[in-house]
Amino acid sequence: MTERHRVTLTVNGTEHVVQVEPRRTLVDVLRHDLGYTGTHVGCEQGVCGSCTVLLDGEPVRSCLLFGVQAEAADVRTVEGLGDQEHLSPLQEIFSSSHALQCGFCTPGFLMLATAFLRDHPSPSDDEIREAMSSNLCRCTGYQNILRAVRRAADAVADPSTEP
Amino acid sequence: MADATAQPSGPDGARWSGTPVRRVEDPRLLTGASRFVDDVAPAGLLHAAFARSPFASARIASVDADVARRAPGVVEVWDAADLELPGLRPILEREDFVVTEMPLLAREVVRFAGEPVAMVLAGSRYAAEDGAEAVEVEFVPGEGVSSIEEATADGAPLVHGSARGNLLLDAAMVDDAELDAHLDAAAVVVDATFSSGRLTAAPIETRACVAEWDARERRLIVHISHQIPHLVRTTIADLLGLPEHRVRVIAPDVGGGFGLKCVVGREEVLVAAAAARLQRPVKWIEDRLENLTASFHGHEQRHAVRVGFGADGTLLGLDADLACDVGAYSCYPFTCGVEPLMAATELPGPYRLTRYRARARAVATNKPPIAPYRGVSRPQITFVIERAMDIAARRLGLDSVELRMRNLIGPDEFPYRSASGLLYDEGSYRASLERCAAELDHATWSVRQAGARAEGRLIGQGFSCFSERTAYGTPAFASRKMAVTPGFESAHVRMDASGGVTVAVGTLSHGQGHETTFAQIAADELGLRPQDVRVVEGDTDVTPFGWGTFASRSIAIGGGAVKRAGELLAERLARIGAHLLEVAPHDVELADGSISVRGAPGRSVAIAEVARVAHHAAHRLPAGTEPGLEVRSTFDPPGTFSNATHGAEVEVDPATGAVAIRRYVVVEDCGFVINPMIVEGQVHGGVAQGIAAALYERLAYDEQAQPLSGTFADFLVPTAAEIPRIEIHHLETPSEHSATGAKGMGEGGMIGAPAAIANAVSDALAHLGVEIVEVPIAPERLLGAIREHPASVSVGGLP
Amino acid sequence: MKPASFAYHRAASVGEALELLAREGEDAKVIAGGQSLVPLMAFRLARPSALIDINRIAELRYVRRDGDALQIGALATHRDIETNAEPGVLDGYSILPRAARFIGHYPIRTRGTFGGSIAHADPTSEWCMLALLLDAEIVATGEQGSRTVAASDFFRGVFTTALDVDEVVTEVRFPAPAPRSAIREFARRQGDFAVVAVATALEVEDGGVRSARIALAGVSDAPVRATEAEAMLAGATPGEVAFDEAGRAAAAGLRPPSDIHGSSDYRKELAAALVRRALGDAVRADG
């Protein structure tokens, strides 16, 4: 039987220590060992992007990482963006744009969009579409997700346009 | 496009219905505070995995679990013999239907690759999969069938011994002795076979179930990602031999369903059985491989039709032989008859047609069973009739829009009784086509297309018109003769002592926003705001009996029950308020949280005050009034048809055969719209799945019925790059069969898209004589068709 | 879809990685970004007994210019190349960041590495195709030291390279810039593996083609160079006629695989069309 490894990682600013077997994926560690159930599992093969988190600032598919690979990493999940009483501007815009229906893919899109908007403050519509093509949604047909990211980008550029 | 708001709309400024109210569901879904089944983790949880058959057709010679039981972390391994439980046996009370049973675990034979043979329980899913790998099953592979052609050939091996010719249903649905004579006299007969590929719903949340035995209450609690909690409760109680009130079913947040989750699956029943037997909580989360290869599929159909038209384009007759590849078992409770029966009943669509014959067959093959996936045969039959329209138009030299206008049921013909016995209530079939054609500037299309062709570009425009049967109440389902007949819906509306309202209803939102829309409906009846109304679904302990959410039923039937209950409660509040104000009940109105005397707004009492009196000062109630403020209502309509026209413009790359969608327009009519933002969202999602069916997705199988597209790398769910901007326009023909005037509409997007795209592609290649008769349209096949034709443009000189 | 068990070690240096590899035996595998390996492990198609994690070896993550040559450290991520903005580094090599955008999606490109793609040798890989196109050299390092393998010798078959079981890729070197180059790809969806991909690099002088290089991916069990088409273009006048002929010639010799995304014949058609288009793009390219 393989040994467990001790892994220290920071999630949304809080340090955690876990003991995990090497094959335990980062998404399973986050969800089941640390209780951050906002990140979801949709395919376990790195295609749907529901498991997207930020690792040391970069968007990654947490189903394609083992927990042991996240030693000393700074992880950000959807729980770090806002809470029900204080939605972040991006979360507000997703809601006012009706960019979510069942909500299962939503945390992945929020983390993807967070990284994208940070790295592309003035994106074109094509750039938004290309970046958002990273993740799958089955409910929305993507229309309102693209609209929301467009509005979020415009709001950063001109805060007076914020809803 | 509609945007979320917090203000009511309407001429008197007091109606929440009709307003794009922002969704109550959103905050928890946006912040990770949601609860999906995999987020439920009681202490002592065991995880299930399944040893599954690698063969599509085989005898099980032996199952040896010794090695598996000794795998680290494994607690139990069971096969069918260990469990001795009955299987799922859905029934249609029709003579042309063959009843079959889907065992919970395969026993003696396996009928599709991926069928579960043994269940492994372990301390983690990782260990359970190790255990499943270690189960030693001796299979004796046999001959199977992998397609309708193979299954219906003479001497084909039988999937079920009791189903001769592999027909689980063979229904002569409609007939007409005069039909053949009319077809013989027709100017044009479109004689063609149309095929649609096998699909699956693939919601981003797969199926999921956690069952736990509550020792204190001696009850089984089942958390399940499902569309019909009450159905699950009865089914589990039946199969496990438990009294139903000792089973509680909770569907928390559900990550999409699209019909996959409106049937009862064997794995979830097994999880419940394991939890009851071991008195420990058990979890099973379907992984994506299981979801794509061993779950429920749909939409694989082949329809041979003869469609006759007069020289002026009048539809004269339709002869249809409809076959559906339903896989190895019937789904519970809808049965495998759901696709063929709906196909035959609705094939004529929104068109005037008297002469109709349809035979409908459910063909068994050694592939996973079908369930009612969004649209359920309507995308396929719309593809058939809409392609027939375009083919006939070309052959007759008529404009395709004009040809349709000639045949669409017109405003003065409603209610229209179809050749298959359906009663179509009022719709806007012609108006939606007219509007769609105008939006796409159809009048100038041939000129634009000629210009593009001169430059070597292959562009096409295509339309599809359809009606969508929604809100089936009990009578509509009863005509199908299902042993389990869904239909009605129940709502329980309660006002608490502080004036807050709880609406409990038996539907099950899984993305449709019922917590918001039902609150809008109730708020309008009660003179409150949506935020004063809390909507609860998905817990059989809390909600009245209902039939969940599927078949575009919820807003019309669920909303109808909510409205009725709201009216009853409003009446009671008015009576009490009037009594307190010392006027007659008909002299008061409910608005803005108050009950006021009509014409004297200063004379009012707060609804909250009335609520307090009803609970804490019942002696002050008018004589004969019951204390408390709870009402129940049901709603059971005959059904109502919404409609739409879809229009697409495409461009085909002459070097690769790839299809790009340049414009996509929907003109839809779902009656009165409760929340325009939510309706548009449903159209968006449906169209995306329809585009997927037209151009991308197909579950491919080889001749041994082995799955070839078992992963998201091969089953091509479109990304945002593949779905164009979808333009939506609304018409509104309120339904007289709906308490609110709203019609169902959740499946329409999917119904229209494959036909519109196929028509547009055919139009793009019409000058090469290419007619699309199969979806999905593979670029390779288009390229082949382009190459074959002598009039093909040569490759040189193109960009 | 949980992987089978494995032992895990993290290496802080190349030397340590090689030591661990030797110690763990031939069923051990090196993991860098894991974007190709981990899905295979999820399906249990890959079952390494041990993973040697080299992803933190910082000295292997670079994109450097050495005169005309471009040196890419094995652990440079796809995104490092896509977004590299250091002045002068990618001059004449802009084909590389343009190609990066075809590799999966943004969150895959933050983890996936250049060396990982080269070592994995997927027949549809863009980096493998470009390495072959631009006559790159792959540096393979073992406990005995490093050796250089030409790209034309390196890719041996599906997921098969010239690497010995105890070697790792540490660097890939491109000898000279190719400013007139282009890449064209046909995939079913944005981000999917290419059905067929083509890359071209031209040298044009006095209005004529001095030399042409054409590489294709997805048409064989490894990337290929269309040597006959290349020869045909030497001295030719750039334009539709020459490029169309070159496309046909490139496709003629191919025997591509068939799968559900395309038959062998279809892949040949695509090859011809994409070669023609990529040659047209290359003539107009500049840097």
Side-chain angles (χ1 to χ4, degrees):
Chain A
M1 198 60 261
T2 52
E3 286 175 5
R4 297 194 157 209
H5 288 242
R6 187 175 184 278
V7 177
T8 305
L9 69 162
T10 304
V11 183
N12 302 327
T14 301
E15 192 178 270
H16 296 280
V17 180
V18 286
Q19 299 274 1
V20 293
E21 55 170 342
R23 63 175 169 166
R24 198 161 175 78
T25 57
L26 177 60
V27 69
D28 283 345
V29 171
L30 290 170
R31 288 177 48 72
H32 299 298
D33 299 324
L34 300 178
Y36 294 99
T37 57
T39 306
H40 298 141
V41 174
C43 75
E44 297 188 291
Q45 62 172 127
V47 175
C48 77
S50 294
C51 65
T52 307
V53 299
L54 301 188
L55 185 96
D56 296 330
E58 299 274 36
V60 298
R61 297 186 168 186
S62 60
C63 73
L64 293 187
L65 264 120
F66 299 112
V68 290
Q69 292 176 281
E71 169 63 33
D74 172 20
V75 178
R76 303 272 158 182
T77 69
V78 67
E79 288 92 341
L81 294 182
D83 61 50
Q84 293 203 65
E85 275 73 46
H86 312 96
L87 298 179
S88 73
L90 181 66
Q91 288 166 321
E92 282 282 347
I93 289 172
F94 260 60
S95 180
S96 64
S97 307
H98 190 39
L100 64 153
Q101 291 184 23
C102 81
F104 195 78
C105 74
T106 306
F109 271 101
L110 286 170
M111 301 318 291
L112 173 69
T114 295
F116 172 73
L117 290 169
R118 180 200 60 206
D119 293 344
H120 300 83
S122 306
S124 67
D125 287 352
D126 282 346
E127 284 172 331
I128 292 175
R129 189 181 282 274
E130 192 177 315
M132 293 307 116
S133 76
S134 301
N135 287 12
L136 297 181
C137 172
R138 212 49 173 145
C139 292
T140 67
Y142 307 107
Q143 307 292 296
N144 291 341
I145 292 175
L146 296 180
R147 205 159 62 101
V149 177
R150 171 82 270 156
R151 286 175 155 177
D154 293 343
V156 169
D158 177 4
S160 70
T161 65
E162 221 173 314
Chain B
M1 222 176 289
D3 224 24
T5 186
Q7 297 304 318
S9 64
D12 52 7
R15 284 196 66 75
W16 292 99
S17 299
T19 306
V21 171
R22 206 161 131 170
R23 292 191 341 161
V24 162
E25 293 87 335
D26 287 354
R28 70 177 185 269
L29 297 171
L30 286 163
T31 57
S34 46
R35 188 184 306 125
F36 294 92
V37 171
D38 192 31
D39 304 336
V40 175
L45 192 58
L46 287 177
H47 296 257
F50 293 91
R52 296 179 179 277
S53 168
F55 300 107
S57 175
R59 212 168 39 79
I60 301 171
S62 67
V63 181
D64 186 343
D66 279 352
V67 176
R69 284 204 182 92
R70 284 182 271 121
V74 172
V75 166
E76 261 301 354
V77 181
W78 289 322
D79 68 5
D82 294 319
L83 288 179
E84 303 255 331
L85 289 170
L88 291 153
R89 204 177 156 79
I91 293 174
L92 286 182
E93 281 146 3
R94 300 174 61 112
E95 288 198 11
D96 47 21
F97 177 77
V98 177
V99 179
T100 57
E101 184 171 304
M102 179 162 77
L104 299 183
L105 286 173
R107 176 202 347 255
E108 285 170 20
V109 296
V110 289
R111 296 188 169 92
F112 65 89
E115 186 161 10
V117 177
M119 179 179 194
V120 177
L121 298 167
S124 73
R125 175 63 183 237
Y126 293 77
E129 289 192 16
D130 294 342
E133 244 188 357
V135 175
E136 291 162 338
V137 185
E138 202 190 317
F139 290 102
V140 180
E143 292 279 308
V145 288
S146 68
S147 69
I148 290 174
E149 283 75 18
E150 249 188 88
T152 53
D154 283 335
L158 295 181
V159 179
H160 290 272
S162 54
R164 287 205 352 245
N166 283 314
L167 296 181
L168 295 177
L169 175 77
D170 189 355
M173 289 288 295
V174 198
D175 203 351
D176 186 331
E178 311 289 314
L179 173 61
D180 297 305
H182 278 78
L183 289 178
D184 288 341
V188 158
V189 176
V190 176
D191 187 339
T193 299
F194 296 91
S195 307
S196 299
R198 199 173 194 80
L199 300 174
T200 186
I204 305 299
E205 185 205 20
T206 56
R207 292 155 63 212
C209 186
V210 171
E212 45 180 335
W213 180 257
D214 180 332
R216 177 178 176 274
E217 298 202 12
R218 289 176 298 124
R219 286 204 309 166
L220 189 62
I221 302 175
V222 180
H223 309 260
I224 182 170
S225 184
H226 205 272
Q227 297 168 233
I228 317 179
H230 283 93
L231 175 70
V232 172
R233 187 174 78 166
T234 310
T235 309
I236 286 179
D238 281 348
L239 290 175
L240 302 189
L242 291 170
E244 192 170 326
H245 64 274
R246 296 251 166 239
V247 179
R248 177 182 183 189
V249 175
I250 300 170
D253 292 311
V254 171
F258 314 110
L260 172 74
K261 297 174 183 174
C262 74
V263 295
V264 181
R266 65 218 297 186
E267 291 92 345
E268 294 100 315
V269 177
L270 286 165
V271 166
R277 198 183 228 201
L278 299 174
Q279 301 205 351
R280 277 186 72 173
V282 176
K283 170 183 277 194
W284 174 68
I285 308 298
E286 183 185 51
D287 66 30
R288 188 57 66 181
L289 180 62
E290 294 175 298
N291 179 258
L292 294 177
T293 62
S295 185
F296 294 92
H297 296 171
H299 293 209
E300 185 171 12
Q301 303 187 359
R302 192 194 69 183
H303 303 317
V305 297
R306 288 187 305 146
V307 195
F309 293 83
D312 66 348
T314 306
L315 178 60
L316 296 179
L318 170 54
D319 184 0
D321 183 353
L322 311 170
C324 304
D325 181 328
V326 298
Y329 294 103
S330 240
C331 63
Y332 187 88
F334 298 95
T335 81
C336 61
V338 67
E339 279 193 6
L341 293 175
M342 285 181 72
T345 306
E346 295 186 53
L347 176 59
Y351 297 109
R352 193 180 310 108
L353 174 74
T354 323
R355 307 282 169 207
Y356 178 43
R357 174 190 300 135
R359 177 190 184 195
R361 288 178 287 164
V363 180
T365 59
N366 291 101
K367 292 185 290 195
I370 61 152
Y373 171 37
R374 196 177 202 169
V376 192
S377 294
R378 273 79 50 83
Q380 288 70 47
I381 58 177
T382 301
F383 173 54
V384 170
I385 197 82
E386 290 303 289
R387 287 294 301 123
M389 287 284 157
D390 267 23
I391 292 169
R394 257 189 281 288
R395 303 226 318 237
L396 289 167
L398 294 173
D399 177 81
S400 65
V401 170
E402 256 182 63
L403 177 70
R404 287 179 171 82
M405 289 299 257
R406 217 156 286 201
N407 293 296
L408 285 170
I409 298 160
D412 50 340
E413 295 172 78
F414 293 109
Y416 179 86
R417 175 75 62 186
S418 84
S420 57
L422 289 182
L423 196 62
Y424 289 81
D425 59 333
E426 212 184 319
S428 54
Y429 305 158
R430 288 192 199 156
S432 67
L433 174 59
E434 217 174 282
R435 177 70 184 274
C436 194
E439 291 293 331
L440 283 170
D441 200 11
H442 179 70
T444 65
W445 174 252
S446 45
V447 171
R448 286 187 278 143
Q449 185 182 52
R453 274 186 187 153
E455 293 170 12
R457 293 175 58 212
L458 302 170
I459 64 172
Q461 188 184 77
F463 295 92
S464 71
C465 299
F466 63 91
S467 59
E468 179 189 351
R469 192 176 181 199
T470 73
Y472 302 61
T474 322
F477 275 113
S479 68
R480 277 206 221 147
K481 304 203 168 64
M482 291 169 62
V484 173
T485 308
F488 65 91
E489 197 44 66
S490 315
H492 180 200
V493 176
R494 279 173 290 159
M495 183 172 283
D496 55 45
S498 309
V501 176
T502 303
V503 172
V505 56
T507 46
L508 200 297
S509 192
H510 46 283
Q512 297 89 341
H514 299 168
E515 287 172 51
T516 306
T517 52
F518 292 174
Q520 290 172 255
I521 294 171
D524 279 341
E525 295 309 314
L526 298 169
L528 296 170
R529 304 161 305 170
Q531 57 260 52
D532 303 317
V533 180
R534 183 179 148 249
V535 176
V536 178
E537 290 177 324
D539 182 341
T540 57
D541 265 10
V542 171
T543 57
F545 183 90
W547 287 103
T549 292
F550 64 96
S552 307
R553 67 186 301 271
S554 300
I555 201 68
I557 310 184
V562 170
K563 183 170 203 284
R564 284 247 178 104
E567 285 167 352
L568 289 174
L569 183 58
E571 220 176 81
R572 196 180 307 177
L573 286 169
R575 213 171 332 119
I576 301 170
H579 178 75
L580 297 176
L581 291 166
E582 296 177 343
V583 296
H586 61 259
D587 286 332
V588 300
E589 56 193 4
L590 277 63
D592 298 317
S594 292
I595 301 175
S596 348
V597 178
R598 249 182 258 277
R603 290 190 55 208
S604 68
V605 59
I607 291 176
E609 169 72 23
V610 172
R612 195 53 65 107
V613 168
H615 293 88
H616 290 189
H619 56 284
R620 293 176 56 199
L621 294 173
T625 306
E626 268 188 75
L629 293 168
E630 294 188 32
V631 296
R632 286 180 180 273
S633 193
T634 58
F635 193 60
D636 197 1
T640 178
F641 285 82
S642 59
N643 68 274
T645 297
H646 289 205
E649 278 180 19
V650 303
E651 179 155 3
V652 181
D653 184 333
T656 65
V659 176
I661 305 171
R662 297 289 182 225
R663 279 192 73 188
Y664 200 94
V665 175
V666 174
V667 179
E668 65 91 44
D669 186 342
C670 59
F672 177 69
V673 172
I674 305 291
N675 188 319
M677 185 182 78
I678 288 181
V679 162
E680 287 192 357
Q682 290 298 307
V683 175
H684 294 159
V687 168
Q689 284 179 310
I691 289 173
L695 297 175
Y696 296 100
E697 291 172 11
R698 190 168 84 93
L699 290 171
Y701 280 79
D702 70 14
E703 288 107 43
Q704 278 70 47
Q706 290 290 324
L708 300 172
S709 344
T711 83
F712 268 168
D714 297 314
F715 182 69
L716 304 176
V717 175
T719 71
E722 285 76 54
I723 306 298
R725 188 174 144 242
I726 300 164
E727 302 164 49
I728 303 176
H729 305 277
H730 298 282
L731 301 176
E732 194 173 296
T733 309
S735 170
E736 52 171 348
H737 299 300
S738 165
T740 57
K743 301 178 175 183
M745 52 69 61
E747 297 167 275
M750 174 121 202
I751 294 173
I757 305 258
N759 275 338
V761 173
S762 300
D763 182 58
L765 303 179
H767 61 306
L768 305 180
V770 175
E771 295 283 8
I772 300 297
V773 295
E774 188 177 332
V775 286
I777 302 166
E780 173 167 354
R781 223 163 5 94
L782 274 192
L783 190 65
I786 292 171
R787 290 269 179 276
E788 258 170 52
H789 200 277
S792 249
V793 288
S794 68
V795 167
L798 291 167
Chain C
M1 284 164 60
K2 307 299 186 190
S5 286
F6 55 87
Y8 174 82
H9 306 281
R10 191 178 308 116
S13 68
V14 175
E16 197 186 338
L18 295 171
E19 216 182 278
L20 286 163
L21 254 186
R23 198 185 336 141
E24 284 291 346
E26 63 176 20
D27 288 333
K29 272 196 83 70
V30 155
I31 185 170
Q35 304 299 284
S36 300
L37 179 60
V38 179
L40 291 175
M41 292 175 68
F43 285 107
R44 298 198 177 194
L45 294 172
R47 309 172 68 115
S49 56
L51 287 186
I52 316 299
D53 185 353
I54 61 170
N55 213 41
R56 309 253 182 141
I57 302 175
E59 62 261 29
L60 288 183
R61 185 175 177 178
Y62 54 87
V63 180
R64 294 201 280 254
R65 193 64 175 244
D66 180 16
D68 272 352
L70 181 70
Q71 296 162 341
I72 300 180
L75 293 179
T77 65
H78 309 312
R79 195 102 172 117
D80 285 344
I81 295 156
E82 184 183 359
T83 59
N84 186 294
E86 271 183 72
V89 171
L90 289 175
D91 283 358
Y93 285 103
S94 69
I95 181 83
L96 289 165
R98 276 182 280 133
R101 288 178 54 203
F102 286 107
I103 302 175
H105 294 282
Y106 165 32
I108 287 175
R109 300 198 287 269
T110 59
R111 291 289 297 179
T113 63
F114 198 94
S117 290
I118 296 290
H120 185 59
D122 186 302
T124 66
S125 160
E126 293 83 359
W127 290 152
C128 298
M129 176 178 67
L130 288 180
L132 190 66
L133 178 79
L134 300 179
D135 303 302
E137 293 181 323
I138 291 111
V139 179
T141 304
E143 285 194 293
Q144 265 49 47
S146 293
R147 62 189 180 103
T148 304
V149 183
S152 50
D153 282 332
F154 188 80
F155 305 106
R156 302 273 171 95
V158 179
F159 306 138
T160 311
T161 68
L163 273 184
D164 287 334
V165 76
D166 55 0
E167 285 180 317
V168 294
V169 173
T170 48
E171 185 180 276
V172 181
R173 294 179 189 151
F174 292 85
R180 282 196 208 272
S181 52
I183 178 168
R184 283 263 186 165
E185 177 167 319
F186 181 78
R188 294 288 277 121
R189 293 172 302 184
Q190 177 80 35
D192 279 351
F193 290 109
V195 177
V196 173
V198 167
T200 57
L202 294 175
E203 282 183 316
V204 176
E205 200 177 61
D206 299 328
V209 176
R210 201 165 86 93
S211 74
R213 285 179 287 179
I214 302 171
L216 299 95
V219 297
S220 183
D221 55 5
V224 301
R225 285 275 293 267
T227 46
E228 276 185 33
E230 292 176 355
M232 193 182 291
L233 282 168
T237 309
E240 281 299 338
V241 175
F243 295 161
D244 190 30
E245 257 187 68
R248 286 177 215 274
L254 297 176
R255 293 244 287 274
S258 285
D259 65 23
I260 58 167
H261 297 304
S263 69
S264 181
D265 282 344
Y266 181 58
R267 284 183 152 92
K268 287 176 69 164
E269 293 269 13
L270 289 176
L274 294 179
V275 165
R276 170 171 54 79
R277 289 177 172 175
L279 287 169
D281 293 342
V283 164
R284 292 185 287 273
D286 180 20

